[in-house]
Structure formats: C-alpha cells, structure tokens
C-alpha cells in the first residue's frame, strides 16, 4: 500500500511540475504546487470529467469550448485546456492566416477556468466519466505527456485537431481495448454543413469560411468526426457507450452536472438582421447591376465605376484565395473551385476599363471570364464543393457585367480591327 501511495504522489508531483512550465503566473503555479505537495496523501486516485462551455461572443467561440477536469482525492482540482494560444508570439496574425495555428495545452486550477465563464454568463456542463481506476491512471499519464514542454504545443486544425478532438482522443486511448462508441453513422452530413448549423445566425462569418475553404470540407463524415464541435461532443458523449471485449456495454458518462447556469445556446451577439445578410446585399447588388447594365447596353457606354466595384472586390478576394491555396498550409483550402470566379486576373476588369489601350485586353478577358463563370454556375453541383447560398447571386452579377462589357466593347474592337 505504501508503495502505491508513493507512486501516486510522484505522479501528482510530476503534474505539478508540468503546470509550472505552462503559461500561468508564478503565484498560481505556486498555489497548485502547495496543494499537490501537502494534500495528496491518500489513495483515492483521479476522477475525470469532460467540461463543455456554451458558445461565446467571439468568432472562435461559436461552437463552445471543451476542457478536461482532473480531480484528485487529495484536494487537487485542475482544468486541462487545449485551447490556449499566445497572441504575443512573433508574427502571430500572419502565421495564423497561413495555417501555422499553434495552440497549447495548459493545466491550472479549475476554479480559475470556471470563473472566466461564470463572468461571461456562459452555461457550463460537467460530464463525469465512467472510468475505472486503471483507466483514470492511464488518462493522467497521457495528460502528463501532453503537458510536457516539447509536446504541449500542437498544430491546430479547425475540424480535425482542436480543443474537443484532443481530450476525446486521450479518453479513447486510456479506455483501450474498450471501444468508445459515439453512435451509428446514420446522418448524411459534412464538415461544412455542420459548421453552417453552428453559424446560422452569423451568415457573414460562414460566407467567409465558404469562400476560403474548398472541396475538402464536403465529404461525408462519421458520427465520430462530428464531435469536432464541443457542443456536439457533449451531446454525443451523453449517449455514448463503452463496449467491452466480452460484448458488455456501459455508459461513458457517469453523471452530469450544471456548473454555471445560463442559456445553453450561449451568449453570442444577436443574429445578423436579414437586410444586412450576404443574401440581401447580393440581391441589392444584382438589382443595381441589372439596372446599370441595361442602361449601358442602351447607351453603348460602360458604367466603369460599377466594373471597378465588382471586379475590384473580386480581385481582392482572389488575392486572398491565391495566398490560401498556394502559400498557406491550411488543409482544406485546396482545391477551391471558386478560383474560377475570384482570382487576381479580375484586376483586368477592374482597372482595364479606365485605360484606352486595354480595351482589347478587357474584351478578350471578359469573354474568357464569361465562359468560366458560366461553367462554374452550371457545373458546381458536380465539382464536389458546396456553395454558400449567396454565391450564385454574386457570380451572376459578375456574369452580367462580363456580358455587358463584351457587348459594349465589341463594336470598338471590330472597328479597330477593320481599321488595321
């Protein structure tokens, strides 16, 4: 018995040492170390819970947040959090956009973790895990490994490696050879459709995601893959089972407790009013485009400012897509068939209409652009990439302007050709 106690005390002290290596202030680390050294004197072992926090106001909080809670009978109560990142890191914004999104694992007193969400009024639910003492010890070993200085930083992936997928993967490893079954693969869903559900009240955010991320988000996913979102993980774990080699089953969650009362749907800002949504703005632009294009056709004169507005915006978006597709290391940015619509060549349509010598260039560019946009609109269902509902409206605006430019410029191009 004494040997068992010594081993557990060493494990607890090791965890305390790892905590000191995290980003915590010295006084907090010292407090945890004091608790660990003085209070872990019995053989009660570790208990683990999955803690889920409701969505917050920031963009990266719309799916909620997940952490592990580790409690020892000696009085230690820790939050293990895989959602820590350092804004002070060199070139943080550039590296984040490029896809070098390095997050960290950190351990610190649970009351500090909980207080942050209590202040924000965010609903917090704890699901205590139905782990055996041996499985709990194994899970603590895995947590300790994750907190080591050389391993605590990881390359964050929005849907495949994040604050929810990390703890679930450790729980599965700790439970092995017992299988953690989260449900049957009955729903036809993709990463993009799952994200759209969570972002439905913030269509501009989803509009941006649908622009930046390509076809790799649109393959059918399993119930296990759906748990990339913390809220979905909480729901799935509530119905999940441990399946033992002998065929027996047991619930994964032993008990569920609400730690902070609040709206389970979160404290996110009010939904975007429909008149300000991408769909509404696209309709406004379409009406404007049709009206001025008809006028241009009648007058045989281009509204060059409208071309600059439409193709200039496409040029800027195309530069961003170029960076994401060819430079960034984001996994899901390529292939992206929207590149037929948004690419740097759009600068020809935006600036060329103001330069007399570019009339021929603009004319042939718009013929090619009209063909590319026609293919994109008519064949996108077969390309394996789901479109945002507002995209066809914006593509149609560009298509109308391309056709208008070709029609208006054609007599000038023909006249110059005959003249030569």
């Amino acid at each position: 018995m004494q040997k068992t106690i010594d081993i557990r005390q060493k494990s607890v002290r090791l965890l305390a040492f790892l905590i000191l290596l995290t980003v915590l202030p010295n006084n907090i680390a010292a407090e945890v170390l004091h608790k660990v050294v003085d209070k872990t004197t019995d053989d009660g072992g570790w208990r683990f819970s999955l803690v889920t926090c409701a969505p917050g106001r920031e963009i990266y909080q719309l799916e909620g947040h997940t952490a592990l809670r580790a409690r020892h009978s000696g009085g230690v109560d820790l939050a293990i959090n895989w959602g820590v990142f350092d804004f002070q890191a060199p070139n943080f914004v550039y590296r984040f956009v490029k896809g070098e999104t390095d997050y960290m694992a950190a351990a610190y007193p649970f009351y500090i973790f909980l207080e942050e969400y209590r202040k924000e009024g965010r609903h917090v639910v704890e699901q205590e895990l139905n782990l055996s003492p041996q499985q709990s010890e194994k899970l603590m070993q895995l947590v300790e490994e994750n907190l080591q200085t050389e391993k605590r930083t990881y390359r964050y992936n929005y849907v495949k490696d994040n604050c929810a997928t990390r703890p679930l993967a450790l729980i599965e490893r700790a439970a092995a050879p017992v299988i953690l079954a989260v449900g049957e693969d009955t729903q036809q869903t993709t990463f993009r459709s799952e994200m759209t559900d969570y972002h439905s009240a913030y269509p501009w955010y989803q509009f941006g995601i649908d622009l930046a991320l390509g076809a790799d988000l649109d393959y059918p996913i399993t119930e296990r893959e759906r748990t990339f979102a913390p809220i979905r993980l909480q729901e799935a774990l509530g119905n999940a089972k441990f399946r033992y080699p002998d065929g027996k089953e047991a619930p994964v969650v032993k008990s569920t407790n609400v730690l902070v009362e609040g709206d389970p749907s979160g404290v996110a800002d009010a939904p975007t009013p429909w008149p300000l949504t991408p769909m509404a703005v696209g309709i406004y632009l379409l009406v404007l485009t049709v009206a001025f294009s008809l006028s241009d056709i009648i007058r045989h004169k281009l509204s060059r400012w409208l071309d600059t507005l439409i193709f200039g915006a496409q040029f800027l978006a195309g530069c961003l897509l170029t960076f994401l597709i060819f430079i960034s290391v984001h996994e899901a940015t390529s292939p992206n068939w929207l590149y037929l619509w948004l690419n740097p060549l759009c600068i020809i349509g935006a600036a060329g209409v103001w330069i007399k010598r570019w009339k021929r260039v603009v004319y042939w560019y718009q013929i090619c652009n009209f063909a590319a946009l026609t293919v994109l609109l008519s064949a996108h269902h077969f390309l394996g990439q789901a479109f945002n509902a507002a995209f066809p409206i914006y593509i149609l605006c560009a298509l109308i302007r391309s056709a208008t430019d070709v029609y208006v410029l054609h007599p000038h191009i023909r006249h110059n050709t005959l003249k030569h």
Side-chain angles (χ1 to χ4, degrees):
M1 175 64 75
Q2 183 62 42
K3 183 177 180 181
T4 301
I5 293 175
D6 290 343
I7 292 174
R8 291 174 186 249
Q9 288 177 345
K10 287 181 180 179
S11 175
V12 173
R13 290 191 176 97
L14 175 59
L15 180 62
F17 175 72
L18 293 170
I19 294 169
L20 289 172
L21 299 179
T22 65
V23 295
L24 293 175
N26 291 335
N27 63 324
I28 297 175
E31 178 182 348
V32 176
L33 183 61
H34 174 75
K35 285 186 176 183
V36 169
V37 172
D38 291 347
K39 294 190 177 182
T40 53
T41 56
D42 57 58
D43 194 29
W46 291 97
R47 290 183 297 141
F48 285 92
S49 302
L50 191 84
V51 178
T52 305
C53 309
R57 290 185 173 85
E58 302 298 331
I59 286 176
Y60 58 85
Q61 298 173 336
L62 293 180
E63 287 87 11
H65 183 52
T66 297
L68 271 182
R69 183 181 188 181
R71 282 174 289 179
H72 193 275
S73 53
V76 179
D77 191 358
L78 301 174
I80 319 298
N81 186 356
W82 280 268
V84 178
F85 52 90
D86 184 8
F87 279 117
Q88 304 304 317
N91 303 313
F92 175 83
V93 175
Y94 171 78
R95 294 177 68 247
F96 192 92
V97 173
K98 187 180 178 183
E100 297 175 352
T101 47
D102 291 339
Y103 275 49
M104 294 181 292
Y108 49 95
F110 185 75
Y111 74 87
I112 294 178
F113 172 87
L114 194 62
E115 185 61 24
E116 175 185 352
Y117 296 94
R118 195 190 310 277
K119 286 180 179 179
E120 296 178 5
R122 291 167 66 179
H123 188 71
V124 179
V125 175
E126 175 188 37
Q127 295 169 299
E128 186 173 353
L129 302 176
N130 189 18
L131 299 174
S132 68
Q134 294 77 18
Q135 290 170 331
S136 295
E137 288 293 339
K138 176 63 175 177
L139 182 53
M140 178 50 66
Q141 292 174 14
L142 294 172
V143 167
E144 289 172 354
E145 291 176 8
N146 262 240
L147 290 172
Q148 290 174 7
T149 304
E150 65 275 14
K151 293 183 179 180
R152 71 185 186 197
T153 300
Y154 70 99
R155 182 58 49 83
Y156 176 87
N157 182 297
Y158 191 84
V159 295
K160 294 183 179 179
D161 197 357
N162 60 31
C163 69
T165 63
R166 285 250 158 178
L168 179 58
L170 294 191
I171 294 168
E172 289 176 324
R173 288 176 60 189
V178 179
I179 297 173
L180 195 163
V182 296
E184 302 298 328
D185 299 332
T186 57
Q187 296 195 34
Q188 293 295 321
T189 186
T190 66
F191 281 125
R192 194 187 304 274
S193 60
E194 289 289 309
M195 293 161 64
T196 301
D197 286 343
Y198 291 108
H199 307 154
S200 58
Y202 307 94
W204 281 110
Y205 178 46
Q206 187 61 43
F207 186 89
I209 289 176
D210 290 339
L211 279 179
L213 303 183
D216 279 354
L217 280 183
D218 296 309
Y219 63 85
I221 60 174
T222 65
E223 284 295 305
R224 172 64 175 77
E225 289 175 308
R226 291 181 70 201
T227 60
F228 77 90
I231 299 299
R232 174 59 193 152
L233 175 58
Q234 176 196 340
E235 296 171 354
L237 216 61
N239 298 313
K241 303 288 184 182
F242 281 132
R243 291 178 180 168
Y244 295 87
D246 61 4
K248 293 182 179 179
E249 292 186 345
V252 173
V253 175
K254 183 188 297 185
S255 63
T256 301
N257 305 300
V258 176
L259 301 181
V260 177
E261 295 289 350
D263 187 348
S265 63
V267 296
D269 294 331
T272 303
W274 190 88
L276 300 179
T277 61
M279 180 71 75
V281 173
I283 292 173
Y284 307 150
L285 182 61
L286 180 60
V287 171
L288 186 73
T289 300
V290 170
F292 279 92
S293 295
L294 288 174
S295 175
D296 290 353
I297 290 171
I298 295 172
R299 297 182 301 122
H300 284 276
K301 187 176 181 180
L302 291 176
S303 298
R304 293 180 292 181
W305 63 270
L306 184 57
D307 284 338
T308 301
L309 172 66
I310 292 176
F311 295 109
Q314 291 179 195
F315 165 73
L316 295 176
C319 290
L320 176 60
L321 286 195
T322 300
F323 178 86
L324 291 174
I325 293 171
F326 298 106
I327 299 176
S328 83
V329 293
H330 281 291
E331 183 177 344
T333 56
S334 180
N336 189 339
W337 293 104
L338 295 179
Y339 206 60
L340 290 170
W341 165 37
L342 307 171
N343 56 70
L345 290 178
C346 294
I347 191 63
I348 298 173
V353 290
W354 298 94
I355 305 172
K356 280 189 176 182
R357 293 181 180 180
W358 280 37
K359 282 184 178 179
R360 183 179 296 276
V361 175
V362 173
Y363 175 77
W364 287 108
Y365 162 74
Q366 293 295 17
I367 288 177
C368 295
N369 191 47
F370 182 87
L373 296 178
T374 300
V375 169
L376 184 61
L377 268 182
S378 58
H380 78 270
H381 290 293
F382 306 101
L383 298 177
Q385 180 174 341
F387 275 20
N388 187 286
F391 285 172
I393 297 177
Y394 290 91
I395 296 173
L396 185 58
C397 290
L399 194 69
I400 291 171
R401 285 312 297 174
S402 289
T404 302
D405 282 16
V406 170
Y407 180 85
V408 173
L409 290 175
H410 177 70
H412 299 280
I413 300 301
R414 184 173 179 275
H415 173 73
N416 290 336
T417 301
L418 292 175
K419 189 175 180 181
H420 287 88

